[in-house]
Amino acid sequence: MSKQAVTVIGLGPMGSAMVRAYLAQGHPVTVWNRTASRADELVAEGAVRAASAGAAVAANELVVLSLTDYEAMYAILEPVSDSLSGRVIVNLTSDTPEKARAAAKWAARHGAEHLTGGVLTPPSGIGNPEFSTLYSGPRKTFEAHRDTLEVLTATDYRGEDAGLAALYYQLNMDVFRTSMLACLHAFTVAEAHGIKATDLLPYVKNAAALDQFLDFYAPRLDAGEHPGDVDRLAMGVASVDHIVHTTKDAGIDAALPEAVLEIFRRGVAAGHGADSFTSLAGTLRGARK
Ligand code: NDP
């Protein structure tokens, strides 16, 4: 059986990896990119270059977007919106849930369907089913194209709401970006003491392995219970204060632990000194819970 033909618009590192994954599995691929030269190698490898964005959209029912943000999508597709009718836009561009919902409505106004995607791997993981991509939007459309989408990665369908895949993606990034910066912070303080990153590595990995803490605290968060039987917020303030001073003593920027300290202190000021640090969920909500 012949493989579904696909259009890919956006040939940064991610879009290029997607084109190669499709070509490797025998899918005909039409490509377009604002900077045309970025398509050259892919065309040499078997992709078909569309003469314009409109021609790329017209070429195939399934149009995969891999762009910097949703503004780029409008910049490319708004001028050729006449060609969108009957197309399925698989938007693997990351942006906010609200923008994803607005894009789904915008696509519908032009007779197209919109599947929101959130790719949970760097380009090196594209083509590998051990990695996955979040999807949301019309279930029927997702199911109809599932096999073709699974050429890129495994799929994780989150629901009909166009914003859901973007939301789960941003929550994933929330943890990833802040955790990675915390790790970089520790490496930087270590370096100020003459300790190499590769020597600190096992200790950072150990501290970043949070599974048992998350398993313990998640049910308590759902139950809204924050007893200070295992950890007390007042103890947390003292602990983070030590981190701030250790950082400053090393001559390193302490903005990150100071931000953490400020949130912990607000929780104590709100009367949660004897509760668990999870009581800070109320502080983050701005509610006194
Ligand atoms: P890049 O930002 O490197 O490339 C994005 C593409 O967007 C380029 O083809 C660029 O065109 C195009 N573009 C940007 N602005 C415009 C515009 N105004 N008009 C037309 N085209 C535009 O991104 P990546 O390839 O790295 O990633 C693509 C998406 O995948 C992003 O949303 C990213 O968040 C997500 N992602 C990326 C990961 C990664 O590790 N790279 C991991 C997980 C998700 P041009 O070549 O002309 O500049």
Side-chain angles (χ1 to χ4, degrees):
M1 206 174 76
S2 66
K3 302 280 182 78
Q4 184 178 19
V6 180
T7 287
V8 178
I9 294 179
L11 303 175
M14 188 55 97
S16 297
M18 290 172 176
V19 172
R20 290 195 168 102
Y22 279 125
L23 290 174
Q25 294 297 316
H27 289 257
V29 186
T30 298
V31 295
W32 185 85
N33 193 62
R34 176 181 61 179
T35 308
S37 59
R38 282 184 114 166
D40 291 353
E41 278 183 27
L42 297 168
V43 169
E45 292 169 34
V48 174
R49 188 196 311 265
S52 65
V57 171
N60 296 302
E61 180 194 7
L62 203 66
V63 179
V64 174
L65 303 182
S66 179
L67 302 164
T68 305
D69 53 26
Y70 275 43
E71 285 311 309
M73 174 191 74
Y74 292 118
I76 295 167
L77 295 186
E78 189 75 70
V80 299
S81 57
D82 286 355
S83 51
L84 285 174
S85 184
R87 296 293 173 259
V88 174
I89 300 171
V90 180
N91 200 344
L92 302 180
T93 302
S94 54
D95 212 316
T96 68
E98 282 312 309
K99 288 196 176 167
R101 291 184 184 114
K105 286 183 187 151
W106 175 84
R109 282 201 297 279
H110 294 289
E113 295 198 80
H114 182 275
L115 286 174
T116 310
V119 183
L120 297 178
T121 172
S124 56
I126 297 298
N128 183 342
E130 285 175 21
F131 296 98
S132 72
T133 300
L134 302 155
Y135 288 96
S136 65
R139 181 185 287 274
K140 249 177 94 180
T141 309
F142 168 74
E143 292 296 347
H145 296 286
R146 186 182 193 136
D147 288 350
T148 303
L149 299 178
E150 288 185 345
V151 170
L152 301 178
T153 63
T155 56
D156 180 359
Y157 179 74
R158 297 282 79 217
E160 296 268 342
D161 171 2
L164 276 175
L167 176 61
Y168 274 83
Y169 179 83
Q170 294 308 335
L171 296 174
N172 187 77
M173 280 294 122
D174 182 359
V175 174
F176 179 72
R177 295 289 184 206
T178 51
S179 304
M180 285 300 284
L181 188 58
C183 295
L184 184 63
H185 187 270
F187 282 126
T188 311
V189 174
E191 185 198 27
H193 288 273
I195 299 167
K196 285 164 54 177
T198 42
D199 290 334
L200 189 70
L201 184 59
Y203 297 90
V204 172
K205 279 186 176 174
N206 185 52
L210 296 172
D211 282 25
Q212 60 170 318
F213 294 99
L214 298 173
D215 289 344
F216 178 76
Y217 286 121
R220 288 182 167 206
L221 275 167
D222 282 344
E225 290 168 3
H226 310 290
D229 55 346
V230 175
D231 73 290
R232 295 169 69 251
L233 195 56
M235 176 278 287
V237 166
S239 167
V240 182
D241 194 48
H242 299 156
I243 302 167
V244 168
H245 282 100
T246 301
T247 302
K248 287 182 174 171
D249 290 348
I252 299 300
D253 188 319
L256 183 60
E258 276 175 340
V260 177
L261 182 58
E262 196 267 329
I263 295 169
F264 272 59
R265 280 190 172 142
R266 270 197 274 148
V268 170
H272 294 293
D275 297 335
S276 166
F277 104 101
T278 56
S279 64
L280 290 176
T283 307
L284 296 175
R285 277 194 297 267
R288 219 193 132 127
K289 287 200 174 172

